């Protein structure tokens, strides 16, 4: 399913006992546009505790119900870091830091995907192509499928697929593209679609950029 990050952040992660837990962010590997963990703020058993749950523990989001089914459970939260689905369970009123989760997983550097918001987007020649205002997540493939880039003084929401990313400089705070600025300014606009982003529209985006 293709869904904007801001829409995912409005959902409740539903645990096995039917409890609802706020989705606050997603984490991914810095080296690639992946989604590795869902950051949640728990209710019920560990009220207000933040935790990082592995993304493969989640099913298909239900936008109408405002829910995101998961295999999250009280036992899984208690066994955080023990090879289960919960990587880190934090103290109340805190959420896990990417470095903390990476250490628990023994993985490479991770980042909160919401940190991409507001970053400048640079074309292949170094010119500014826009500013990141959101991203589209493929929840089935667990990856960032597209960035939503603000151009034209905030009037446009152009989309840039992951296939066009050159690299994300998390230290310098810049997204670098393989293409020029002109293709971005003329790209399909996210205003063309509603909450549900259809696969055929995504395929049209890929074709516009010369993929597929």
């Amino acid at each position: 399913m293709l869904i904007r990050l801001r829409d995912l952040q409005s959902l409740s992660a539903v645990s096995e006992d039917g409890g609802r837990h706020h989705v606050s962010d997603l984490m991914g590997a810095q080296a690639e546009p992946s989604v590795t963990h869902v950051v949640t703020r728990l209710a019920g058993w560990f009220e207000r505790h933040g935790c990082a749950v592995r993304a493969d523990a989640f099913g298909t989001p239900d936008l109408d119900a405002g829910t995101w089914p998961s295999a999250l459970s009280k036992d899984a939260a208690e066994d955080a870091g023990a090879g289960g689905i919960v990587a880190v369970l934090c103290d109340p009123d805190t959420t896990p830091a990417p470095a903390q989760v990476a250490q628990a997983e023994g993985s490479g550097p991770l980042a909160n995907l919401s940190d991409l918001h507001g970053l400048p987007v640079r074309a292949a020649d170094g010119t500014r192509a826009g500013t990141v205002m959101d991203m589209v997540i493929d929840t089935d493939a667990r990856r960032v499928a597209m960035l939503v880039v603000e151009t034209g003084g905030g009037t446009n929401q152009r989309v840039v697929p992951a296939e066009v990313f050159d690299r994300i400089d998390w230290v310098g705070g810049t997204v670098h593209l393989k293409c020029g600025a002109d293709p971005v300014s003329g790209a399909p606009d996210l205003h063309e679609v509603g909450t549900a982003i259809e696969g055929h529209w995504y395929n049209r985006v890929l074709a516009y950029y010369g993929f597929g």
Side-chain angles (χ1 to χ4, degrees), residues 194-207:
T195 303
I197 302 172
E198 302 293 341
H200 64 82
W201 184 84
Y202 176 53
N203 290 335
R204 183 160 69 86
V205 171
L206 291 177

Side-chain angles (χ1 to χ4, degrees), residues 166-192:
D166 181 32
R167 63 187 175 89
I168 298 173
D169 181 355
W170 292 97
V171 176
T174 306
V175 177
H176 296 272
L177 304 180
K178 299 175 183 176
C179 68
D182 287 344
V184 176
S185 64
D189 197 305
L190 197 60
H191 283 308
E192 298 176 14

Side-chain angles (χ1 to χ4, degrees), residues 6 18 45 59 69 113 143 185:
R6 70 181 185 190
W45 350 288
L113 295 186
R143 65 189 290 265
S185 64

Side-chain angles (χ1 to χ4, degrees), residues 96-159:
Q100 184 182 11
V101 177
Q103 182 178 20
E105 297 280 42
S107 69
L110 301 176
N112 288 317
L113 295 186
S114 64
D115 287 347
L116 288 171
H117 187 271
L119 293 189
V121 178
R122 297 285 177 186
D125 63 359
T127 59
R128 184 156 180 161
T131 303
V132 178
M133 63 183 304
D134 202 352
M135 65 206 71
V136 176
I137 305 297
D138 184 337
T139 57
D140 296 324
R142 298 190 291 279
R143 65 189 290 265
V144 178
M146 294 181 278
L147 291 180
V148 183
V149 178
E150 181 182 61
T151 64
T155 59
N156 301 316
Q157 296 182 23
R158 305 304 188 190
V159 289

Side-chain angles (χ1 to χ4, degrees), residues 13-14 23 38 40 53-60 68-72 139 142:
V14 179
V23 174
V38 177
T40 64
V53 186
R54 295 185 180 94
D56 58 9
F58 285 77
T60 301
W68 197 359
S70 76
L72 184 60
T139 57
R142 298 190 291 279

